Amino acid sequence: MSDKTRGGQFLVKETKCEDIFTPEDFSEEQLMMRDSVKEFVDKELWAHKDRFEKKDYAYTESSMRKAGELGLLGVAVPEEYGGLGMGFVSTMLVCDYISGATGSFSTAFGAHTGIGTMPITLYGSEEQKKKYVPKLATGEWFGAYCLTEPGAGSDANSGKTKAVLSEDGTHYKITGQKMWISNAGFCSVFIVFARIGDDKNITGFIVENDPSNGISMNEEEHKLGIRASSTRQVFFNDTKVPVENMLSERGNGFKIAMNALNVGRIKLAAACLDAQRRVTSGAVKYANERIQFNTAISQFGAIRYKLAEMATSAYAGESASYRAAKDIEDRIIAREAEGATHQEAELKGVEEYAIECSILKVAVSEDIQNCADEGIQIFGGMGFSEDTPMESAWRDARIARIYEGTNEINRMLSVGMLIKKAMKGHVDLLGPAMKVSEELMGIPSFDTPDFSELFAEEKGIVANLKKVFLMVAGSAVQKYGPDLDAHQQLLMAASDILIEIYMAESTILRTEKLAKKEGEAKVQEQIAMAKLYLYKAVDIVTQKGKEGIISFAEGDEQRMMLMGLRRFTKYTNMPNVVALRETITSKLVAENEYCF
């Protein structure tokens, strides 16, 4: 595994386009799976979208059962427990294409296959897995995950729910209140987190949903979006749970919760991708049909701007999400080859790329919100109406920035985890950061670079953006040390730089790989999207870098770092972004859909 880029190393290690996985690399089996998922979604979900918007919870449940009959709930479950045992990329692919029609079903699917099933698959004993996982994999039973409490949201380990061992030692009695529990209205089994005694960390339990066993619920929550996703408060009152239903070990609940969230974050990014494709396609079709001033509005520059930006963010999200998914899959395979169990391999594989999971969660959840917002704008007054799919897409998108850890938490986590990796020696940040400091003190080169190869300048700029992060984050760590956590606005600015680097680099590498395969002439639109994304990323890095530097540096140090920022964000040949957008939109309008 030594030659494989580890989590976070993208920042300090050059990645070749041949070394990343892209959506163009899907196998025949994966393409067949994608098409069967799309057929299910178009027939069972998209065609009945109004039922989800009218809070038809029963239809969400029946749709989940149909998905179970098709094997779609068991794609990530090993075959010995009734699943399909597919690789991580394939599980991402299913999550991607099954989630685009409605956030209600997407949430039910994600909550069941992820946090409702995965903790048992990855942490359960052999007896627990044999008892529960086959039923969850087929949709005979549904799962839910009880972590959040009124006083424990982002601070998940502060929950007050108690688990008390019975006098005869045969069972625990769980008492407490959980809220925002997805799938609560139709689940068969809960993963419940409770504290035993005065333990520092919470403990996980598998609890069957039996109302006669002290389990009660509030009515369904009425929410801004994901309206037909069952969301209830759940109350446990001396609920008896056999001791053999403890999940993993006592006090291991917080670790289970955090690792489940790592997987949930990258799957959430995947769950936003097809929504972007569908919103973009819907906006293109409407723009082609809507006539104003005797002209289709798709011919107006203001609309063309929006369509190009929407497509570009979708393309970037795909590029980065599948790059990370394959990195995780390769890590899992390598761990298994070294003798690790499937459980150990998957846990360590995802944990290795936890930084990338947080990056993707933030970037793609914000992109779908912006995409849906522009979709409403293109539809104009009609976009505000429930008669079009744009307003529901916008409402459904809003939750993605909150669950699986808020975007604010994930921004700070991404930088915090990177610094911890550096301290453990897993990512060498110190050496490259010192080189950047030396470069700032030296005389810049005035040679004219050779930009004859595709993306030669763009890849040089990405390398310079990495220097910006090392300059800002390295100086901040030196100044604040372990107190850096207290400077949240600085961490947020550094995180935005980190996010843009990963997203821009992934988009460029995907397109370079595609151009080498198909020829540059055939992928002009993808080249335009990669260049457009980078142009906008440079603007964000410039703004956030300046904000970060000014927050902690003064005098000569500040002037030196601001000079470095200008040097590292400078183009030799500034791209014509209007022309880039025109190239992208012309293809969209001609194809009448998102076509990349």
Side-chain angles (χ1 to χ4, degrees):
M1 288 191 291
S2 58
D3 60 336
K4 186 70 182 173
T5 300
R6 297 192 65 170
Q9 280 188 337
F10 70 89
L11 192 63
V12 292
K13 187 176 177 182
E14 183 183 357
T15 304
K16 292 182 169 61
C17 69
E18 293 82 7
D19 295 335
I20 72 158
F21 182 87
T22 75
E24 290 76 32
D25 296 324
F26 290 141
S27 67
E28 285 298 318
E29 182 188 24
Q30 287 169 330
L31 291 173
M32 287 172 61
M33 174 63 78
R34 179 196 68 184
D35 291 343
S36 66
V37 172
K38 286 171 71 174
E39 183 181 352
F40 166 76
V41 170
D42 287 336
K43 181 182 175 184
E44 302 293 343
L45 308 181
W46 189 256
H48 303 283
K49 195 170 170 66
D50 61 318
R51 296 185 67 169
F52 294 102
E53 297 314 307
K54 292 174 182 174
K55 304 182 182 180
D56 190 341
Y57 302 105
Y59 193 70
T60 300
E61 182 180 352
S62 67
S63 299
M64 284 285 288
R65 295 208 184 278
K66 288 176 183 175
E69 290 165 8
L70 293 172
L72 299 177
L73 301 182
V75 288
V77 173
E79 291 181 60
E80 59 263 41
Y81 306 115
L84 299 180
M86 301 183 88
F88 199 84
V89 172
S90 295
T91 68
M92 282 278 286
L93 183 65
V94 171
C95 184
D96 173 352
Y97 282 91
I98 209 166
S99 301
T102 165
S104 297
F105 183 87
S106 174
T107 299
F109 177 85
H112 172 76
T113 58
I115 51 181
T117 302
M118 190 176 53
I120 306 177
T121 308
L122 297 182
Y123 285 97
S125 65
E126 193 61 28
E127 293 74 20
Q128 289 170 345
K129 286 186 285 188
K130 285 178 178 176
K131 181 176 180 180
Y132 294 107
V133 176
K135 292 180 180 179
L136 293 167
T138 59
E140 179 185 346
W141 279 20
F142 293 117
Y145 180 84
C146 295
L147 177 64
T148 304
E149 299 182 13
S154 296
D155 184 10
N157 203 33
S158 64
K160 299 291 190 290
T161 297
K162 289 289 185 185
V164 179
L165 186 63
S166 63
E167 289 183 8
D168 61 5
T170 61
H171 60 270
Y172 285 92
K173 288 184 178 180
I174 293 181
T175 300
Q177 175 186 0
K178 300 291 183 177
M179 65 190 304
W180 310 123
I181 307 306
S182 296
N183 295 352
F186 59 86
C187 79
S188 314
V189 63
F190 297 104
I191 308 295
V192 181
F193 295 90
R195 193 177 312 278
I196 302 172
D198 294 324
D199 287 1
K200 178 184 176 184
N201 292 322
I202 51 180
T203 298
F205 296 89
I206 303 169
V207 183
E208 294 182 23
N209 185 7
D210 177 4
S212 67
N213 186 22
I215 300 175
S216 59
M217 300 182 197
N218 274 7
E219 292 299 308
E220 293 285 356
E221 299 283 353
H222 298 288
K223 308 178 294 291
L224 171 70
I226 56 170
R227 288 180 171 175
S229 161
S230 175
T231 312
R232 293 186 172 189
Q233 290 191 52
V234 182
F235 301 90
F236 300 94
N237 185 16
D238 283 343
T239 300
K240 293 181 180 179
V241 184
V243 291
E244 57 267 26
N245 274 30
M246 180 185 288
L247 191 57
S248 185
E249 301 166 2
R250 177 171 175 170
N252 215 25
F254 186 61
K255 186 176 181 182
I256 295 170
M258 292 303 100
N259 281 325
L261 287 173
N262 285 334
V263 181
R265 283 163 184 157
I266 190 169
K267 292 289 179 72
L268 176 61
C272 294
L273 294 176
D274 197 48
Q276 287 191 72
R277 296 187 201 102
R278 286 177 182 266
V279 167
T280 303
S281 291
V284 172
K285 287 181 173 68
Y286 183 81
N288 276 336
E289 294 166 3
R290 176 68 169 167
I291 305 297
Q292 291 289 279
F293 309 105
N294 298 318
T295 306
I297 66 170
S298 61
Q299 299 307 309
F300 297 146
I303 301 297
R304 295 173 77 82
Y305 174 106
K306 295 179 188 300
L307 294 174
E309 297 287 344
M310 292 160 74
T312 298
S313 70
Y315 181 75
E318 292 171 349
S319 306
S321 296
Y322 285 104
R323 173 190 183 181
K326 188 60 162 66
D327 283 341
I328 290 170
E329 180 170 299
D330 288 346
R331 193 79 178 175
I332 292 168
I333 292 168
R335 287 275 184 182
E336 288 179 325
E338 292 174 351
T341 65
H342 172 76
Q343 290 168 284
E344 294 166 340
E346 183 145 336
L347 280 168
K348 290 296 182 184
V350 176
E351 189 178 355
E352 177 65 46
Y353 294 96
I355 295 165
E356 287 81 353
C357 291
S358 282
I359 286 172
L360 288 164
K361 191 274 181 186
V362 173
V364 186
S365 68
E366 293 182 0
D367 282 344
I368 178 55
Q369 186 82 69
N370 293 334
C371 183
D373 195 69
E374 292 288 42
I376 289 176
Q377 198 70 12
I378 289 169
F379 271 67
M382 282 299 294
F384 207 67
S385 168
E386 289 187 0
D387 292 335
T388 66
M390 291 296 158
E391 65 88 33
S392 62
W394 184 86
R395 287 187 288 98
D396 284 352
R398 188 60 186 85
I399 188 62
R401 287 156 55 197
I402 297 172
Y403 56 25
E404 308 296 354
T406 66
N407 282 12
E408 291 73 22
I409 288 285
N410 274 285
R411 276 185 163 88
M412 290 182 284
L413 269 176
S414 62
V415 178
M417 289 187 292
L418 183 63
I419 292 169
K420 283 179 183 174
K421 275 203 161 209
M423 290 176 175
K424 289 179 180 177
H426 295 173
V427 180
D428 177 18
L429 293 184
L430 183 60
M434 289 181 70
K435 285 182 181 177
V436 173
S437 296
E438 291 168 10
E439 187 175 344
L440 286 175
M441 301 299 290
I443 299 170
S445 170
F446 295 102
D447 295 340
T448 303
D450 177 12
F451 292 143
S452 56
E453 286 191 14
L454 176 66
F455 292 135
E457 178 167 15
E458 286 76 14
K459 288 197 280 188
I461 289 171
V462 169
N464 280 339
L465 297 186
K466 294 177 183 182
K467 293 176 185 176
V468 174
F469 179 86
L470 291 166
M471 176 178 71
V472 174
S475 299
V477 169
Q478 278 186 319
K479 185 173 182 71
Y480 296 119
D483 295 329
L484 182 60
D485 284 354
H487 299 269
Q488 292 192 352
Q489 293 188 51
L490 173 56
L491 283 171
M492 300 266 283
S495 174
D496 281 338
I497 297 170
L498 190 66
I499 289 166
E500 292 307 321
I501 290 167
Y502 189 73
M503 301 299 289
E505 182 179 68
S506 300
T507 309
I508 289 166
L509 291 174
R510 173 189 181 181
T511 309
E512 183 187 12
K513 187 176 184 180
L514 184 60
K516 285 184 177 181
K517 179 183 176 184
E518 301 288 341
E520 290 181 35
K522 289 186 178 179
V523 294
Q524 286 301 303
E525 296 82 16
Q526 288 92 331
I527 291 171
M529 286 190 287
K531 290 184 175 183
L532 178 60
Y533 191 94
L534 178 63
Y535 175 85
K536 298 195 70 169
V538 169
D539 272 356
I540 293 169
V541 171
T542 301
Q543 177 195 345
K544 297 298 180 178
K546 184 177 179 181
E547 188 178 304
I549 291 164
I550 291 172
S551 75
F552 67 83
E554 297 177 340
D556 288 343
E557 181 191 19
Q558 185 188 97
R559 280 190 291 275
M560 183 67 70
M561 291 178 73
L562 290 174
M563 282 174 58
L565 178 64
R566 285 192 292 273
R567 186 196 304 182
F568 296 145
T569 54
K570 181 182 176 184
Y571 273 92
T572 300
N573 301 298
M574 188 69 74
N576 181 343
V577 291
V578 174
L580 294 177
R581 291 192 192 101
E582 278 299 306
T583 298
I584 299 161
T585 307
S586 294
K587 179 72 169 178
L588 291 167
V589 168
E591 298 291 334
N592 204 32
E593 64 178 355
Y594 178 84
C595 50
F596 307 109

